[in-house]
Amino acid sequence: MPSTLSATLLRRYSFCFQPVFFILSKPSSSPLRLFSAFTMASSHSKDEAYLDKVIEKRIKLFQSIQSQQQSHLQSLSHDPIKITLPDGSVKEGKKWVSSPMDIAQGISKSLAANALISSVNGVLWDMNRPLEGDCELKIFTFDSDEGRDTFWHSSAHILGQSLESVYGCKLCIGPCTTRGEGFYYDAFYGELGLNEDHFKQIEAGALKAVAEKQPFERIEVTREQAIEIFSENNFKVEIINDLPADKTITVYRCGPLVDLCRGPHIPNTSFVKAFACLKASSAYWRGNKDRESLQRVYGISYPDQKRLKEYIHQLEEAKKYDHRLLGTKQELFFCHPLSPGSWFFLPHGTRIYSKLMEFIRNEYWRRGYQEVKSPNIYNMNLWETSGHAANYKENMFLFEIEKQEFGLKPMNCPGHCLMFQHRVRSYRELPLRLADFGVLHRNEASGALTGLTRVRRFQQDDAHIFCRESQIKEEVKGVLEFIDYAYTVFGFTYDLKLSTRPEKYLGDLATWERAEAALTEALNLSGKPWQINEGDGAFYGPKIDISVSDALNRKFQCATLQLDFQLPERFKLEYSAEDEAKREKPVMIHRAILGSVERMFAILLEHYKGKWPLWLSPRQAIVCPVSEKSQKYAIEVRDRIHEAGYYVDVDLTDRKIQKKVREAQLAQYNYILVVGEEELNTKQVSVRVRDKADHSTMSIDGLLQHFEAETAAFH
């Protein structure tokens, strides 16, 4: 599957710790006094002269530019404007004067007290930023994705302010996380390495910022002004110099922090009522292992104490069911230092891995996919054609063969383009659905490797659909149905978002609009709720983002559904139309349901908390004879179940039956079959289900019929 064409290498060294969190409630006259018991002496000496100089300079420049811009706004005509709300009602306002906060206050005090961010004609907008004309206005609270992301982005600025003031570091970037759970800030500290021992000081600085109710203020600056403001910070200057010439550059201030940021932000820091540092790690500047080593601090925040406590409890629950711990306990997989990032799947783990692939293969048969196999090694000329050599090369494993450069494939799509291209194609062959479980390799930095969720060697349920533009709607509808079927079987809930044309895109506008209309229609036909994510599509085509929620209420992105106009163009793919003399270009749809099989394995192991459903279980049944007299019959029962195609063991040890049953429960066998003299005489088995105390007696034929029904229903 395609990967974002900007290689990101991260080196993380995570520290294990018990999360510490503080509720940022109404402060006393001396907020820092609340933390007096937690004051920690630090051996790190910050450059106070540097801090005093740059903070004062930045604030003066910010205030000067802000004053000029406010004077300019006051000189503009304040004509009446109409603000249309989502329910169709219209509010009156004044151009360059009225703000979304004014409108919120006019609706209700409660809305104004909880409003974090707004959308003006589809563009996210600060609540206190003046409106510039007639518009459609939406207001978001923390319960929306827009509200949460903005809340956590603003919390990153609060974190950055504390880090800078406490350690005198050079701030780099501070976004909300891509998983939508909190935020982080990267900064350069020289030789200092952060860990959980530093968190109390950092949280004290955050409390100070919140207690001061610092407003988030915005200005627009020229490139020259931006460089002047951040001239002492080479990281910010590098970002500024890399911005497109036509890009509007914005700077935000909260208290002493003046930061380069596109925004938007919450109204002020007091909205953050609960704040916690979660972990510290290392990262390379711009993901380049040859650049400066930075320190990254992760945090989480909420508008109330209850939600933070729930989140911390959720983290504790997740620790109990970490797939790395469960995988070791259940003897499913392991990793060896002689092959970092490439996991060994033991027999029981391979059973699950194979069953997941079998599940997808069975659906391929029903849904008209054709499975293919493609090479693992390609000449770099292929990646030059696809564009990956320019944008993804540092994430590839490269080597030389007969004085030519080759690479292990990190994705299947260019190879599938060669398959489409290798002979003349007809419109009658479309849609052509090619599926590939081929092994992929990506050269992730060693510090970024994380269990099965971030690896170097993996497989995907990867498929590419080549179709006509007129077939996009039906093909996307089919993929959405496939996703819904699979995720229902797994017990996932999921969210759908349509990511539309970004600012910089390839292809013509009309094609993009037709493709987005087809995706919209397919989403509507799915019957599932969905949201639009304006401007977040890939440069080569719009996409549908699918995020799943597991039993611990964590979000993951596994499935992929992306339209691609670019690869068919780069590979000059074409097919003969109804008029055989006419050649047309296909549209390419990248899609995966599981995504990485390794990653899905990890997610499911944690989702089920180690208790695999029968159809997927590597230990479906165990036969436990009560005594030596029934051992021969136990083996007969085991053989019958094995011949029927189920994973079954027999416990022939001399332990007492209560001990055997208890051990089988701990090993997560789905069914524990006890056989004694009575079962031997009646040719039956006493059936106990893993997590139930009661038991029943069944014939072997009846038991096998039950197994068949349960596995067919994916129980």
Side-chain angles (χ1 to χ4, degrees):
M1 298 304 301
S3 180
T4 304
L5 296 183
S6 57
T8 303
L9 288 171
L10 293 175
R11 181 190 62 176
R12 300 177 188 167
Y13 305 103
S14 297
F15 297 93
C16 297
F17 66 99
Q18 186 78 16
V20 179
F21 63 94
F22 299 92
I23 308 309
L24 307 183
S25 54
K26 188 173 180 180
S28 65
S29 58
S30 178
L32 286 178
R33 196 173 301 152
L34 295 173
F35 286 82
S36 58
F38 304 108
T39 301
M40 181 187 75
S42 174
S43 59
H44 177 69
S45 59
K46 62 184 176 183
D47 189 340
E48 293 283 4
Y50 164 80
L51 272 184
D52 292 343
K53 175 185 174 184
V54 298
I55 290 176
E56 183 180 3
K57 170 200 158 185
R58 289 187 312 213
I59 291 175
K60 282 184 176 179
L61 288 171
F62 185 96
Q63 290 175 331
S64 174
I65 297 168
Q66 183 184 48
S67 177
Q68 295 171 22
Q69 292 182 358
Q70 287 175 343
S71 297
H72 175 66
L73 288 182
Q74 290 171 1
S75 70
L76 298 175
S77 176
H78 300 157
D79 300 330
I81 57 173
K82 296 185 181 297
I83 300 111
T84 305
L85 302 178
D87 63 359
S89 61
V90 178
K91 300 289 183 181
E92 300 289 334
K94 289 185 178 181
K95 188 176 182 179
W96 304 113
V97 174
S98 300
S99 69
M101 183 60 79
D102 295 328
I103 305 303
Q105 289 171 340
I107 295 172
S108 74
K109 289 183 178 179
S110 173
L111 177 61
N114 292 287
L116 298 175
I117 196 65
S118 69
S119 169
V120 176
N121 294 331
V123 177
L124 288 179
W125 203 270
D126 299 283
M127 287 299 296
N128 291 315
R129 180 179 170 186
L131 299 169
E132 299 175 1
D134 293 343
C135 63
E136 294 182 356
L137 177 67
K138 295 179 182 178
I139 294 173
F140 301 105
T141 65
F142 189 82
D143 294 325
S144 66
D145 288 344
E146 293 85 351
R148 275 192 301 277
D149 285 350
T150 303
F151 188 91
W152 284 329
H153 181 195
S154 298
S155 297
H157 280 238
I158 294 171
L159 172 62
Q161 180 183 145
S162 177
L163 293 171
E164 185 177 61
S165 63
V166 173
Y167 299 107
C169 56
K170 289 186 177 180
L171 298 176
C172 297
I173 58 169
C176 61
T177 63
T178 53
R179 271 186 60 179
E181 289 181 354
F183 49 90
Y184 66 83
Y185 217 118
D186 285 350
F188 179 74
Y189 297 79
E191 297 301 315
L192 176 67
L194 296 179
N195 57 45
E196 67 272 17
D197 293 336
H198 298 89
F199 290 172
K200 290 166 187 172
Q201 278 190 319
I202 296 168
E203 286 161 334
L207 173 61
K208 183 175 184 295
V210 169
E212 291 173 358
K213 199 175 180 178
Q214 300 166 355
F216 280 90
E217 302 171 285
R218 174 186 184 273
I219 59 172
E220 294 182 6
V221 298
T222 65
R223 187 179 301 270
E224 292 72 24
Q225 288 172 327
I227 289 174
E228 184 181 5
I229 293 171
F230 299 104
S231 59
E232 290 83 7
N233 187 325
N234 55 300
F235 302 101
K236 299 290 186 183
V237 170
E238 186 174 330
I239 294 173
I240 295 164
N241 286 329
D242 286 348
L243 292 173
D246 58 349
K247 181 76 173 177
T248 299
I249 301 175
T250 52
V251 173
Y252 278 80
R253 178 190 173 193
C254 60
L257 179 70
V258 175
D259 206 357
L260 180 72
C261 182
R262 68 180 180 181
H265 284 283
I266 61 177
N268 65 66
T269 57
S270 71
F271 281 72
V272 180
K273 298 293 194 297
F275 184 104
C277 290
L278 296 177
K279 67 176 180 179
S281 65
S282 292
Y284 292 117
W285 170 237
R286 297 204 150 179
N288 186 338
K289 64 182 184 299
D290 297 322
R291 296 295 305 272
E292 296 87 343
S293 181
L294 311 176
Q295 295 292 302
R296 173 174 296 182
V297 177
Y298 289 89
I300 188 71
S301 61
Y302 286 96
D304 59 68
Q305 173 181 356
K306 180 183 177 184
R307 278 185 271 203
L308 179 58
K309 286 185 175 179
E310 288 172 352
Y311 180 79
I312 297 299
H313 175 71
Q314 181 180 307
L315 283 183
E316 293 303 316
E317 284 295 296
K319 282 183 186 177
K320 296 178 189 176
Y321 305 111
D322 187 300
H323 70 275
R324 291 163 290 190
L325 299 176
L326 293 177
T328 300
K329 188 176 181 181
Q330 296 186 9
E331 292 191 74
L332 303 178
F333 48 75
F334 72 93
C335 196
H336 196 281
L338 292 179
S339 187
S342 301
W343 287 72
F344 292 80
F345 283 83
L346 296 164
H348 288 87
T350 302
R351 292 174 180 181
I352 299 165
Y353 200 108
S354 299
K355 187 65 73 172
L356 286 170
M357 292 172 68
E358 178 188 322
F359 171 69
I360 295 296
R361 277 197 173 104
N362 289 339
E363 289 305 305
Y364 282 164
W365 180 260
R366 292 203 308 118
R367 299 172 187 272
Y369 286 80
Q370 301 179 68
E371 190 172 345
V372 298
K373 295 187 183 299
S374 54
N376 285 339
I377 301 169
Y378 291 95
N379 189 293
M380 281 306 293
N381 288 337
L382 175 78
W383 308 107
E384 295 286 350
T385 301
S386 69
H388 292 93
N391 300 288
Y392 204 77
K393 190 172 181 179
E394 63 189 75
N395 269 15
M396 295 176 65
F397 287 101
L398 307 174
F399 45 89
E400 187 178 290
I401 300 177
E402 297 177 349
K403 298 184 179 179
Q404 294 189 63
E405 192 173 29
F406 284 75
L408 286 171
K409 65 178 177 183
M411 64 272 301
N412 287 308
C413 31
H416 289 185
C417 287
L418 294 184
M419 284 188 165
F420 186 94
Q421 186 189 55
H422 93 283
R423 67 168 173 80
V424 176
R425 299 286 179 179
S426 165
Y427 73 94
R428 293 185 181 88
E429 296 180 73
L430 305 183
L432 180 63
R433 308 181 188 102
L434 301 181
D436 196 332
F437 284 105
V439 174
L440 306 176
H441 288 85
R442 295 180 184 173
N443 190 13
E444 301 282 359
S446 59
L449 301 174
T450 311
L452 293 178
T453 61
R454 194 77 176 267
V455 295
R456 286 176 174 164
R457 184 268 186 206
F458 61 100
Q459 291 175 259
Q460 289 183 320
D461 63 328
D462 205 356
H464 297 93
I465 302 171
F466 298 90
C467 65
R468 309 182 80 169
E469 192 178 316
S470 60
Q471 296 170 327
I472 290 175
K473 182 185 78 174
E474 284 302 314
E475 289 306 302
V476 170
K477 178 173 172 282
V479 174
L480 290 174
E481 289 171 352
F482 194 168
I483 290 169
D484 183 66
Y485 175 77
Y487 286 2
T488 299
V489 166
F490 295 142
F492 291 148
T493 57
Y494 63 93
D495 300 317
L496 298 168
K497 288 185 180 179
L498 171 59
S499 295
T500 57
R501 188 182 71 255
E503 286 183 28
K504 294 196 171 184
Y505 62 92
L506 297 173
D508 62 275
L509 183 60
T511 302
W512 272 84
E513 290 176 343
R514 288 194 301 270
E516 288 176 4
L519 292 182
T520 298
E521 198 170 347
L523 283 164
N524 288 335
L525 289 171
S526 74
K528 301 288 183 182
W530 60 278
Q531 296 177 300
I532 195 159
N533 198 3
E534 293 281 359
D536 202 43
F539 70 91
Y540 49 78
K543 61 178 179 171
I544 295 175
D545 293 318
I546 305 103
S547 62
V548 303
S549 298
D550 69 359
L552 296 171
N553 203 31
R554 298 171 301 175
K555 288 188 180 293
F556 302 92
Q557 188 158 338
C558 302
T560 301
L561 205 172
Q562 299 180 343
L563 295 194
D564 190 346
F565 311 125
Q566 181 62 9
L567 273 186
E569 180 71 36
R570 296 185 76 104
F571 280 91
K572 303 190 184 320
L573 303 185
E574 58 184 23
Y575 61 89
S576 59
E578 288 88 338
D579 177 357
E580 292 189 3
K582 186 179 179 184
R583 296 287 186 268
E584 294 182 356
K585 290 192 183 302
V587 176
M588 191 174 181
I589 301 176
H590 305 262
R591 52 105 296 190
I593 309 300
L594 304 179
S596 158
V597 182
E598 280 78 358
R599 188 163 184 266
M600 180 59 77
F601 191 121
I603 292 168
L604 288 171
L605 180 51
E606 296 180 4
H607 173 61
Y608 294 131
K609 300 181 179 179
K611 297 179 183 294
W612 297 101
L614 180 67
W615 76 274
L616 199 51
S617 177
R619 296 177 174 88
Q620 293 171 314
I622 186 169
V623 187
C624 298
V626 174
S627 66
E628 189 175 346
K629 293 180 182 179
S630 53
Q631 282 187 0
K632 185 178 178 182
Y633 178 59
I635 293 171
E636 290 177 17
V637 172
R638 188 274 313 271
D639 291 345
R640 281 282 310 276
I641 297 171
H642 177 78
E643 287 166 8
Y646 299 99
Y647 298 124
V648 58
D649 296 309
V650 61
D651 185 346
L652 298 177
T653 64
D654 59 359
R655 293 178 296 189
K656 293 184 181 297
I657 190 62
Q658 294 85 352
K659 180 70 171 174
K660 290 182 180 182
V661 170
R662 181 58 184 153
E663 290 294 323
Q665 289 173 327
L666 292 174
Q668 301 305 329
Y669 282 93
N670 298 75
Y671 287 87
I672 303 162
L673 312 175
V674 176
V675 294
E677 289 189 51
E678 182 179 344
E679 288 78 19
L680 170 62
N681 294 330
T682 60
K683 296 301 179 184
Q684 293 182 316
V685 292
S686 176
V687 181
R688 299 169 189 249
V689 182
R690 177 175 53 202
D691 295 318
K692 295 181 180 177
D694 57 339
H695 58 89
S696 59
T697 302
M698 300 177 71
S699 67
I700 298 176
D701 287 338
L703 178 68
L704 293 177
Q705 289 173 5
H706 176 70
F707 281 3
E708 184 178 3
E710 288 292 284
T711 54
F714 298 106
H715 291 163

